[in-house]
Amino acid sequence: MSIVESLSPRAIAAPESGIVEVVNYARGREGLLPLWVGEGDLPTPDFISRAAMDALASGETFYTWQRGIPELRRALSDYYVRHFSVCLPAEHFYVTGSGMQAIQICVQALTSPGDEFVYLTPAWPNIAAALEIAGARSVGVTLQFEGGRWTVDLERVEAGITSRTRGIFINTPSNPTGWTATKKDLGDILALARKHDLWIMADEIYARYYFAGGRAASFLDVMKPDDKIIFVNSFSKNWSMTGWRVGWIVAPPEMGQVLENLIQYSTSGVAQFMQKGAVAALDQGDDFVAANIAKATRSRDILCDALIATNRVETLKPDGAIYAFLKIDGVVDSRSAAIDIVDKTGVGLAPGAAFGAGGELFLRACFLRDPAQVAIAAERLCDYILKC
């Protein structure tokens, strides 16, 4: 038996990221325009970095609160008052080592081996992988795609529910499709969860990236205090903090000790100096987030207008999130297409096959970048599309 064969079957079965595969293939090439991963092109702003550096310089390097420092949990509470119009005391918030860890913690809290969790696909692949690694089964329900727009079919969602289903994972605005649930959609999904006594895990990381103005609809707009909903979120996208790996969970206070224990036995908490940077992001970062959203809006329009004008790309401008999900005429293998495109154009795209069922014929482009760079990428892609 080889070394690898002696490892846990669940660990062996963990899939390679189809996104990272393409990134590793072309990372570091001269003139590359990297639209493949979900991050912007700006470094973390100075007011956030300075707060972390000041805390580090003052010696805030010891073990800290597993649930998050009180100052950060209060800042999260204030943030939700400002942007979600809800008053949730600090006891509802739990700081994690990234949005990914927030999902892992919630999966551990809500599922046992053999349980099932329904999610909408195409989807960010990490949710399905997190469930499978934990021993649960991920059940993908494909969004409908017609006329360039994605919609959810509640009958399909209900058909995916069995006696083993523990919950439904909803990411809206969606990575990668840009599908953005209406308030009615969320109410209907919540009614379905209530009917079957299921949890909802709500990933609302892109709620502020809503191009009709304001923010996208949230389960916070439709839920009652006793509904079984847990929220996962991250500092990554709004405040250009992808490399910091700081996220949070919003959950009923009754779950507090369970969540604290799960954090304790994974990372034992997020470094206090990093949490001080996160406090600065929440307290001082509204203008920065607004500027990021404005930039994403301009770049979305530049990219999508150019691609749609070729008459060879089936897509519409997404209602939310930071991605264009493109169906290009003639593309039948998105992985091969992503490799070919980066070789011939220097534009890095993520293959839709990485996002599961329904994404195989698509490519994802992240447009949270300088509009001038996005315009160059759009020109290169249009030239490629018209020639292929």
Side-chain angles (χ1 to χ4, degrees), residues 83-105:
H83 295 290
F84 291 84
S85 300
V86 293
C87 184
L88 296 173
E91 290 72 24
H92 288 259
F93 298 94
Y94 306 86
V95 180
T96 60
S98 76
M100 183 64 239
Q101 194 201 24
I103 289 173
Q104 289 177 316
I105 293 292

Side-chain angles (χ1 to χ4, degrees), residues 102-127:
I103 289 173
Q104 289 177 316
I105 293 292
C106 291
V107 166
Q108 291 168 9
L110 301 182
T111 68
S112 298
D115 286 343
E116 297 177 357
F117 226 88
V118 172
Y119 71 106
L120 303 180
T121 182
W124 185 50
N126 292 34
I127 175 58

Side-chain angles (χ1 to χ4, degrees), residues 79-86 204 207-208 215 218 220-221:
Y79 176 80
Y80 274 75
V81 171
R82 293 198 310 275
H83 295 290
F84 291 84
S85 300
V86 293
E204 298 184 351
R208 301 284 301 281
R215 64 159 172 83
S218 165
L220 291 166
D221 301 325

Side-chain angles (χ1 to χ4, degrees), residues 30-342:
E30 186 176 352
L32 180 73
L33 292 174
L35 309 186
W36 38 31
V37 296
E39 65 181 352
D41 56 347
L42 291 180
T44 304
D46 181 69
F47 67 90
I48 296 173
S49 299
R50 179 58 56 189
M53 288 189 288
D54 288 347
L56 184 60
S58 66
E60 296 186 39
T61 58
F62 296 94
Y63 288 133
T64 187
W65 284 266
Q66 305 296 289
R67 304 185 189 198
I69 60 174
E71 185 180 354
L72 178 52
R73 299 175 80 198
R74 288 193 299 268
L76 283 163
S77 178
D78 292 342
Y79 176 80
Y80 274 75
V81 171
R82 293 198 310 275
H83 295 290
F84 291 84
S85 300
V86 293
C87 184
L88 296 173
E91 290 72 24
H92 288 259
F93 298 94
Y94 306 86
V95 180
T96 60
S98 76
M100 183 64 239
Q101 194 201 24
I103 289 173
Q104 289 177 316
I105 293 292
C106 291
V107 166
Q108 291 168 9
L110 301 182
T111 68
S112 298
D115 286 343
E116 297 177 357
F117 226 88
V118 172
Y119 71 106
L120 303 180
T121 182
W124 185 50
N126 292 34
I127 175 58
L131 287 162
E132 300 286 342
I133 290 170
R137 178 172 174 257
S138 58
V139 179
V141 174
T142 308
L143 291 164
Q144 293 179 298
F145 181 72
E146 186 175 356
R149 187 166 299 281
W150 298 88
T151 58
V152 62
D153 183 337
L154 267 294
E155 291 184 1
R156 288 190 187 183
V157 176
E158 187 161 25
I161 295 171
T162 73
S163 61
R164 303 219 56 143
T165 304
R166 287 282 291 156
I168 307 171
F169 179 89
I170 299 293
N171 168 220
T172 173
S174 163
N175 173 12
T177 64
W179 169 74
T180 302
T182 64
K183 191 173 178 180
K184 181 181 184 304
D185 289 332
L186 298 180
D188 291 343
I189 293 168
L190 179 54
L192 187 62
R194 289 169 177 163
K195 175 182 175 181
H196 294 276
D197 191 27
L198 302 177
W199 276 92
I200 290 174
M201 193 190 312
D203 178 348
E204 298 184 351
I205 187 172
Y206 300 103
R208 301 284 301 281
Y209 288 94
Y210 180 56
F211 301 112
R215 64 159 172 83
S218 165
F219 279 106
L220 291 166
D221 301 325
V222 297
M223 68 182 291
K224 296 178 180 178
D226 60 346
D227 281 320
K228 293 162 60 174
I229 303 180
I230 192 165
F231 297 83
V232 295
N233 216 311
S234 169
F235 286 86
S236 291
K237 318 298 182 178
N238 287 346
W239 298 279
S240 296
M241 295 173 67
T242 51
W244 290 62
R245 317 312 299 139
V246 183
W248 73 87
I249 295 168
V250 186
E254 296 91 327
M255 296 177 65
Q257 192 60 54
V258 172
L259 296 177
E260 178 176 331
N261 294 345
L262 292 172
I263 292 169
Q264 165 66 31
Y265 299 125
S266 55
T267 58
S268 298
V270 175
Q272 184 163 318
F273 63 88
M274 293 170 63
Q275 293 191 56
K276 286 296 182 71
V279 171
L282 294 168
D283 288 350
Q284 304 172 44
D286 281 354
D287 288 345
F288 181 81
V289 176
N292 252 349
I293 295 167
K295 178 170 70 173
T297 304
R298 293 194 300 274
S299 294
R300 176 198 70 151
D301 292 347
I302 289 168
L303 180 63
C304 292
D305 285 344
L307 294 173
I308 292 169
T310 66
N311 292 317
R312 298 201 59 213
V313 176
E314 188 177 356
T315 191
L316 292 175
K317 294 179 184 179
D319 295 326
I322 56 175
Y323 309 101
F325 207 45
L326 316 169
K327 186 178 182 183
I328 301 171
D329 286 352
V331 169
V332 295
D333 180 346
S334 59
R335 178 189 173 277
S336 296
I339 296 294
D340 192 48
I341 288 170
V342 76

